Amino acid sequence: MGKVVKVSGPLVVATGMSDANMSDVVRVGPERLIGEILTMTGDSASIQVYEETSGLGPGTEVVTTGSPMSVELGPGMIENIYDGIQRPLEEIMKKVHGNNLPRGVEVPPIDPDKLWEFTPVAKAGDKVTGGDVLGTVPETPVVLHKIMVPPNLKGTLKSVIQKGMYNVKTTVAVLVKEDGTEVPLGMSQRWPVRVGRPYKHKYPPTRPLSSGQRIVDTFFPVAKGGTAAIPGPFGSGKTVMQHALAKWSDVDIVVYIGCGERGNEMTDVLREFPELVDPRTGESLMKRTVLIANTSDMPVAAREASIYTGITIAEYFRDMGYDVAVIADSTSRWAEALREMSGRLEEMPGEEGYPAYLSSRLAQFYERAGSVSCLGTDDRTGSLTAVGAVSPPGGDLSEPVSQGTMRIVKVFWALDASLAYRRHFPAINWLTSYSLYLDSLKPWFDENLGKDFLKNREKAMSILQSEASLNEIVQLVGKDSLSPADQLTLETARMVREDFLQQNSFVDVDSFSEYDRQEKLLAIILDYDKLCRDAIEKGAPAAKLFDIPSRERIGRAKSIPADEYAAAYADISASMEQEIAAAVQKAGEEL
Amino acid sequence: MIKEYRTIQEIVSPLMMVKMVENVTYDELVEVELPDGGIRRGKVLEVNGDTAVVQLFESAAGINLAQSKVRFLGHPLQLGVSGDMLGRVFNGMGVPIDGGPAILAEEYRDINGLPMNPAARDYPNEFIQTGVSTIDGLNTLVRGQKLPIFSGSGLPHANLAAQIARQARVLGDDAGNFAVVFAAIGITFEESEFFVQEFRRTGAIDRTVLFTNLANDPAVERISTPRMALTAAEYLAFEKDMHVLVILTDITNYAEALREVSAAKKEVPGRRGFPGYLYTDLATMYERAGRQLGKPGSITMIPILTMPEDDKTHPIPDLTGYITEGQIILSRALYRQGINPPVDVLPSLSRLKDKGIGAGKTREDHANTMNQLFAAYSTGKDNKELMSILGEAALTPTDLLYAKFADEFEKRYVNQGYEENRSIEETLNLGWELLSILPTSELKRIKQEYIDKYLPKKEG
């Protein structure tokens, strides 16, 4: 047992800690505040305390728990909201009878009394290794929780409990290791958060994550098992974008980490998600969501841990063979927490005061994403997609967190304040964003959406690119001096921007758009461009073509209900063709 | 028994080092008794063995190393709160300065407060009508929101804040349970007096708690002033069930005081010399706004800050924008044109507006018209710019209509003055009147049924 000698904010130094291990979790003082050992010199240890340290002084007792920072993994995590070190916030509320967060509250992360319906899959006598499924628990209507053998165990099952209702602490199976020792297995297991959970192999990702956001899915897709970053100045819609991804991504589990952000945003998720219906399962979105909330007014050290807590929970679900998405808002606040602790440890600062190990920590986080074949004999595959928001000071991407992130992630959705001011949402800049998954996803797109899909995407991109250069000319000489063909390019670009890329998250029909619909909508716009280009060559006046009634119908095509769009789009296409043909004919007659 | 120490080793204002102390804890309140009996306060910043580093809240002038007595009080800095605080004036450290009696505290509270459990927050969604079109119509304020005003030196942010404080009300709600907590942080006597007079003129003074740290008061006190104000606000909102509007002015002075202390502590500076924890520090103040489950009261916060050189990317507005739920930005260009309040509509934003508007709250057409007004004004401004380069001839008739729209929008919608109190109906109808300048086919962001219902019919 050690004694505190120094307290400076969340950093506490204690002596007499020779029996503690590096990175152990310790308990400080009579309130048993949770801390983690950062450095050790002789028998003194520097400890980062995850709660407010006010009232601590020299002489306070410090006890090590002997194990590193871990999370408890088992049924009961879904629909829950945790703080950065996996304490359930709703349970804390009940326990302290108040709306604030006092310190030193101890609540188990998983309700130990709740009963779950366990159905055995394995049986006595089975030879099992880490990752093998012992049985299943229907955690929510959409998530079948697989109770797995912890990764590092191997042996023969001596017994498996029969089907029934049990709590997570019940021994559901007894495993006999090769050396003959018996290990009782419950429904929950612990895992240290700073160590990635093992898997068999990692594969390059090949399936896109459909998010229902047109600019993401069609223009800058992220793969299942990929990494993406959303940097942007404040007010550019980062959080709305993150929420949209959490809501509409076609994954099995979403882990949403609110790291050092606004309390009201977490409340928004907490109140809104239970009411939203997943278009794929028909169930409430909350039934697949785990929330980690360490808002900006909560202790800064726990903010550092929240990212790891979140991704470890996500890995656990990935190990069951699910597609999981981790959405972290915002990694910049996590980096700031790192910087604050580093400053208190009096480490030599790197760029802008951030510790020199900032970029390697960022890389370690994103590298835990991937498409893998899971441990266990049944060859499940799972994926973990990581999406992080970055909040660059002043919107300046040259700062260390943005730079460190850009070097690692493969998809970059650059939010642009000037688009946001024009209320073009999502305010993702199509000229500066990129996705490096287009090549690896090509086979999937070609097979599922037809070969035209990527061609159309490329064409739309080149139209937007031409628009940017034509706009420079317009600035100098005015629109009228452009050739009719160039005017058409501007017009089509405007349609791509306004009628395709703009998407309103607050309008039900438009908040989610499936791949097929996206493909058809873009095809109509590009058909319009093609038909008009021919018509212009045949002498039809551009102004007449821009004025055809179908134009307005295309403009409103986004808001056609999901069950009617296929017929409606075909109808728009047909009348558009007729109207353009009529314009050509009329022009011919006038000549 | 509280021990007294006469072991001050060193003072480098605002830090003081005391040697050979026992049982001192982090964050504890410290009192220093001067030889002449005066009291200075501070808090323990770091304790290392038997040495305590103390940060003084007040000026260090007059402290004598050998003779001053230091006492560690065993609790953090607290404010005695009571319902009787309404109508009273306090200094930046919470001591009454209006000549009235001392406050009989009903409770003592740590001025740092406790973080609010995110699961216990209630989502702010009640529309507050401020009577200012640019806010109600386009950047709607809701109860429990924190919406700062980004201003610049010499811009009329005080008038706008006073107008909001005077006119703000929730539709269909009695105004009886309303209070204003005002914290003057390092502002001039004149600016502070403007607010006091304004509260007096409208009779709001009886429902107002004022904390004043003026420009000539010690800078280190400024770190406590907003926290004192917020502690009082939390008490009134969540114990006395009041709807509290907190006005903090000026956050720039606060951040500079924080930088001063950080520099004295020899911390590694972040951008522009501000400490790396400026974000967290500001967040622990701003996040105290909000609503809580099961509590009828609320805290709505309007912090005011002057952007150095009107630069929005300066760390103070930048970090504030990352924490608050939007921002109202004032524009020097509009102010020069005589448009008041000079709200720069396009970069201003209220993040919570979507939850506070629509049928049953404001009107069904609100969201659609709001988007259309934004888009039309933005296009109109672009066209005006183009017009100034290329001349009117280069623009199509539709483009010209947009340019006209932008002018009219600034003249009639934005420029309403500080005395006019517009109802939300008036604001929305004015929006429709302005939109009628444009051809109906341009109103793509509005549902057809609303166009049929609300668009004023053109004569002839």
Side-chain angles (χ1 to χ4, degrees):
Chain A
M1 192 167 61
K3 288 227 184 293
V4 170
V5 290
K6 176 184 171 181
V7 186
S8 163
L11 181 78
V12 167
V13 179
T15 54
M17 299 294 292
S18 49
D19 54 345
N21 311 311
M22 184 71 188
S23 301
D24 269 4
V25 170
V26 297
R27 295 307 191 99
V28 184
E31 286 172 302
R32 295 178 48 79
L33 305 181
I34 299 170
E36 188 180 0
I37 296 179
L38 293 182
T39 61
M40 297 194 82
T41 337
D43 75 337
S44 87
S46 301
I47 298 160
Q48 110 170 319
V49 178
Y50 289 120
E51 292 172 90
E52 180 55 48
T53 51
S54 137
L56 291 185
T60 310
E61 287 178 356
V62 181
V63 187
T64 174
T65 60
S67 58
M69 181 78 189
S70 306
V71 287
E72 192 178 348
L73 303 161
M77 292 190 292
I78 299 205
E79 291 186 86
N80 221 327
I81 175 165
Y82 291 113
D83 76 352
I85 46 176
Q86 215 204 4
R87 284 182 300 188
L89 289 169
E90 275 168 340
E91 292 303 314
I92 291 182
M93 216 166 111
K94 284 183 208 150
K95 186 160 181 184
V96 304
H97 302 290
N99 290 339
N100 295 98
L101 290 169
R103 49 194 195 150
V105 189
E106 270 188 81
V107 187
I110 292 179
D111 187 345
D113 300 321
K114 186 164 180 183
L115 298 179
W116 300 97
E117 189 190 9
F118 176 82
T119 311
V121 171
K123 53 185 187 307
D126 283 359
K127 282 201 180 310
V128 291
T129 63
D132 279 343
V133 180
L134 294 169
T136 58
V137 167
E139 187 172 351
T140 71
V142 291
V143 178
L144 187 69
H145 195 112
K146 295 174 184 161
I147 308 296
M148 298 172 291
V149 177
N152 34 26
L153 282 178
K154 195 174 171 183
T156 316
L157 289 177
K158 187 182 166 201
S159 66
V160 179
I161 212 162
Q162 61 193 27
K163 183 173 174 163
M165 303 292 289
Y166 308 104
N167 67 28
V168 287
K169 294 289 168 219
T170 314
T171 301
V172 292
V174 176
L175 178 138
V176 184
K177 288 207 277 195
E178 276 166 1
D179 60 3
T181 47
E182 290 190 4
V183 188
L185 300 173
M187 276 198 259
S188 71
Q189 48 178 282
R190 294 188 70 81
W191 190 263
V193 295
R194 296 188 198 277
V195 181
R197 285 176 64 88
Y199 48 81
K200 272 194 214 147
H201 304 286
K202 203 177 246 189
Y203 298 107
T206 52
R207 293 168 304 149
L209 178 131
S210 149
S211 67
Q213 310 304 304
R214 287 185 288 267
I215 184 149
V216 170
D217 293 358
T218 299
F219 280 67
F220 309 107
V222 62
K224 278 183 182 155
T227 51
I230 313 181
F234 67 84
S236 54
K238 265 193 311 296
T239 302
V240 177
M241 192 65 210
Q242 297 266 62
H243 282 195
L245 291 173
K247 285 175 193 167
W248 309 122
S249 293
D250 66 334
V251 291
D252 303 304
I253 307 284
V254 170
V255 180
Y256 191 96
I257 311 168
C259 172
E261 287 287 310
R262 303 176 185 93
N264 278 333
E265 283 170 2
M266 294 315 292
T267 316
D268 190 17
V269 176
L270 208 53
R271 307 271 173 267
E272 193 186 6
F273 276 34
E275 277 158 31
L276 290 171
V277 174
D278 187 340
R280 295 177 192 88
T281 62
E283 284 288 337
S284 141
L285 281 174
M286 202 62 199
K287 303 269 180 221
R288 62 164 203 187
T289 310
V290 184
L291 296 176
I292 315 280
N294 212 89
T295 55
S296 53
D297 55 339
M298 284 157 77
V300 70
R303 191 190 297 172
E304 194 267 326
S306 64
I307 291 267
Y308 296 104
T309 301
I311 201 148
T312 310
I313 293 175
E315 283 176 337
Y316 173 68
F317 283 106
R318 174 207 66 191
D319 290 348
M320 294 180 202
Y322 291 128
D323 291 323
V324 187
V326 167
I327 299 189
D329 186 14
S330 146
T331 55
S332 296
R333 305 298 164 226
W334 166 78
E336 279 167 16
L338 213 60
R339 172 168 70 183
E340 190 167 338
M341 286 318 293
S342 162
R344 300 216 187 242
L345 286 170
E346 292 166 11
E347 291 172 339
M348 182 69 80
E351 222 179 325
E352 289 193 21
Y354 285 105
Y357 46 79
L358 170 70
S359 62
S360 64
R361 292 278 172 92
L362 273 169
Q364 277 164 14
F365 168 72
Y366 283 107
E367 200 52 26
R368 285 171 79 169
S371 170
V372 304
S373 90
C374 313
L375 290 185
T377 36
D378 62 351
D379 277 329
R380 300 182 296 264
T381 56
S383 75
L384 200 174
T385 313
V387 180
V390 183
S391 319
D396 170 15
L397 293 180
S398 66
E399 56 95 34
V401 184
S402 304
Q403 285 301 315
T405 306
M406 282 162 79
R407 277 206 305 275
I408 307 155
V409 298
K410 291 256 175 75
V411 179
F412 186 74
W413 297 310
L415 291 170
D416 187 333
S418 69
L419 287 174
Y421 295 164
R422 272 184 265 154
R423 298 310 188 256
H424 174 111
F425 287 113
I428 295 177
N429 185 318
W430 48 89
L431 297 176
T432 49
S433 301
Y434 59 79
S435 163
L436 300 180
Y437 289 115
L438 284 168
D439 287 336
S440 52
L441 295 176
K442 190 172 187 301
W444 191 94
F445 283 135
D446 286 353
E447 194 188 323
N448 291 281
L449 296 167
K451 291 205 184 290
D452 281 344
F453 178 77
L454 280 180
K455 278 187 199 145
N456 281 349
R457 178 203 173 268
E458 212 168 290
K459 199 164 161 202
M461 275 305 285
S462 79
I463 286 172
L464 290 171
Q465 190 71 55
S466 323
E467 184 198 28
S469 32
L470 284 174
N471 269 343
E472 281 168 26
I473 303 174
V474 171
Q475 291 285 340
L476 293 174
V477 297
K479 215 185 228 177
D480 282 344
S481 45
L482 292 182
S483 70
D486 284 346
Q487 285 183 25
L488 175 65
T489 304
L490 286 183
E491 199 64 15
T492 314
R494 189 175 138 194
M495 285 169 77
V496 174
R497 282 189 287 112
E498 292 182 1
D499 304 339
F500 186 80
L501 294 181
Q502 278 185 19
Q503 193 166 357
N504 192 336
S505 330
F506 298 101
V507 173
D508 288 345
V509 198
D510 200 24
S511 57
F512 167 83
S513 182
E514 56 181 287
Y515 252 120
D516 178 63
R517 185 174 179 154
Q518 299 187 21
E519 193 261 333
K520 287 202 163 76
L521 183 57
L522 189 61
I524 291 181
I525 295 172
L526 292 173
D527 275 349
Y528 171 84
D529 182 77
K530 187 164 165 284
L531 291 170
C532 286
R533 228 164 266 282
D534 292 346
I536 285 172
E537 262 177 35
K538 287 180 191 146
K544 280 272 177 307
L545 293 168
F546 299 164
D547 231 21
I548 58 170
S550 295
R551 274 298 308 277
E552 204 177 326
R553 289 181 67 194
I554 298 174
R556 296 184 190 272
K558 293 188 279 202
S559 48
I560 296 170
D563 48 347
E564 295 168 21
Y565 80 88
Y569 285 9
D571 187 51
I572 293 176
S573 277
S575 39
M576 177 176 83
E577 244 169 82
Q578 279 171 11
E579 283 158 16
I580 293 173
V584 173
Q585 199 181 2
K586 201 165 166 227
E589 282 164 10
E590 277 167 13
L591 277 176
Chain B
M1 238 314 271
I2 291 172
K3 275 192 193 168
E4 283 187 349
Y5 297 95
R6 290 196 183 196
T7 46
I8 303 177
Q9 178 79 15
E10 181 184 323
I11 299 179
V12 184
S13 186
L15 301 187
M16 178 176 85
M17 213 200 294
V18 190
K19 284 275 196 196
M20 293 187 285
V21 295
E22 277 173 9
N23 295 328
V24 168
T25 62
Y26 173 70
D27 213 24
E28 194 173 351
L29 184 63
V30 182
E31 264 184 12
V32 185
E33 194 183 321
L34 272 50
D36 64 359
I39 298 278
R40 298 287 152 77
R41 291 190 289 176
K43 70 166 181 182
V44 175
L45 209 58
E46 185 182 302
V47 43
N48 190 356
D50 66 350
T51 311
V53 180
V54 175
Q55 174 193 333
L56 292 164
F57 295 131
E58 291 152 286
S59 156
I63 299 182
N64 178 303
L65 261 54
Q67 286 164 31
S68 303
K69 294 178 231 169
V70 183
R71 288 188 288 267
F72 294 88
L73 302 183
H75 60 77
L77 183 57
Q78 291 172 325
L79 176 71
V81 287
S82 148
D84 299 335
M85 295 176 95
L86 286 171
R88 300 292 304 272
V89 185
F90 302 87
N91 73 5
M93 294 301 290
V95 181
I97 48 167
D98 52 0
I103 295 288
L104 279 177
E106 286 168 38
E107 206 182 300
Y108 284 90
R109 290 193 168 196
D110 179 352
I111 63 157
N112 291 313
L114 281 172
M116 217 190 281
N117 187 334
R121 279 182 190 266
D122 201 359
Y123 200 73
N125 56 8
E126 280 177 292
F127 167 67
I128 297 182
Q129 179 179 298
T130 64
V132 181
S133 289
T134 41
I135 298 179
D136 292 352
L138 302 174
N139 298 294
T140 318
L141 178 70
V142 297
R143 233 173 214 177
Q145 185 173 12
K146 37 193 182 295
L147 189 65
I149 298 177
F150 286 10
S151 181
S153 345
L155 289 178
H157 45 265
N159 300 50
L160 179 60
Q163 187 181 18
I164 296 171
R166 188 173 66 233
Q167 299 178 349
R169 68 190 190 93
V170 169
L171 299 177
D173 201 76
D174 64 300
N177 235 353
F178 184 71
V180 176
V181 173
F182 179 81
I185 309 162
I187 60 173
T188 60
F189 169 77
E190 279 166 51
E191 197 171 348
S192 162
E193 197 56 18
F194 166 80
F195 279 100
V196 174
Q197 290 306 335
E198 191 67 25
F199 293 143
R200 204 161 270 153
R201 179 169 77 96
T202 55
I205 192 86
D206 295 337
R207 314 204 62 80
T208 303
V209 189
L210 287 121
F211 289 86
T212 50
N213 167 287
L214 297 183
N216 57 349
D217 290 330
V220 278
E221 269 187 45
R222 276 166 213 165
I223 296 172
S224 307
T225 308
R227 295 194 160 81
M228 294 275 172
L230 285 162
T231 306
E234 276 175 353
Y235 180 74
L236 293 174
F238 303 125
E239 294 299 323
K240 299 284 174 192
D241 298 341
M242 298 180 111
H243 292 293
V244 185
L245 178 69
V246 180
I247 299 177
L248 306 173
T249 176
D250 182 321
I251 296 295
T252 306
N253 296 336
Y254 170 82
E256 280 176 358
L258 200 68
R259 176 166 67 179
E260 197 177 317
V261 175
S262 166
K265 288 195 261 177
K266 300 192 173 63
E267 289 170 335
V268 180
R271 275 202 309 151
R272 304 240 182 159
F274 288 97
Y277 51 79
L278 182 61
Y279 174 86
T280 304
D281 189 274
L282 289 174
T284 52
M285 296 199 309
Y286 295 146
E287 281 288 318
R288 290 168 82 172
R291 298 179 57 201
Q292 297 184 357
L293 290 176
K295 305 262 175 148
S298 66
I299 297 180
T300 309
M301 195 190 292
I302 302 191
I304 299 173
L305 58 90
T306 44
M307 298 183 277
E309 293 172 44
D310 294 353
D311 175 12
K312 199 161 67 99
T313 65
H314 185 281
I316 302 168
D318 188 51
L319 296 178
T320 297
Y322 273 123
I323 308 161
T324 53
E325 284 134 355
Q327 66 278 338
I328 301 292
I329 299 187
L330 300 188
S331 149
R332 205 170 287 279
L334 287 178
Y335 183 56
R336 284 204 198 101
Q337 289 168 42
I339 288 171
N340 277 308
V343 175
D344 197 351
V345 170
L346 296 178
S348 294
L349 169 77
S350 161
R351 290 165 190 272
L352 304 181
K353 61 179 187 295
D354 299 287
K355 305 282 157 93
I357 62 174
K361 286 179 174 152
T362 54
R363 210 167 73 183
E364 51 182 2
D365 56 318
H366 194 156
N368 279 203
T369 44
M370 177 178 76
N371 286 331
Q372 190 69 61
L373 283 169
F374 268 122
Y377 180 52
S378 162
T379 314
K381 275 188 82 166
D382 285 351
N383 289 350
K384 271 174 69 181
E385 215 170 279
L386 213 58
M387 202 159 81
S388 64
I389 305 172
L390 300 168
E392 228 170 85
L395 270 69
T396 66
T398 316
D399 290 346
L400 283 171
L401 284 177
Y402 269 111
K404 183 178 165 211
F405 170 86
D407 282 335
E408 289 291 310
F409 178 83
E410 285 174 5
K411 251 185 256 159
R412 296 172 57 196
Y413 199 92
V414 183
N415 186 23
Q416 71 174 91
Y418 298 110
E419 295 303 322
E420 191 180 341
N421 187 357
R422 288 182 188 158
S423 75
I424 182 67
E425 288 277 321
E426 285 168 345
T427 294
L428 289 172
N429 290 342
L430 179 60
W432 277 105
E433 218 179 297
L434 291 167
L435 286 175
S436 71
I437 294 173
L438 302 172
T440 317
S441 60
E442 290 292 314
L443 306 182
K444 272 197 202 170
R445 291 169 189 249
I446 307 182
K447 277 193 194 163
Q448 192 60 43
E449 50 171 306
Y450 299 151
I451 295 182
D452 298 340
K453 193 167 165 188
Y454 294 105
L455 188 70
K457 304 286 175 284
K458 280 180 192 164
E459 286 157 36

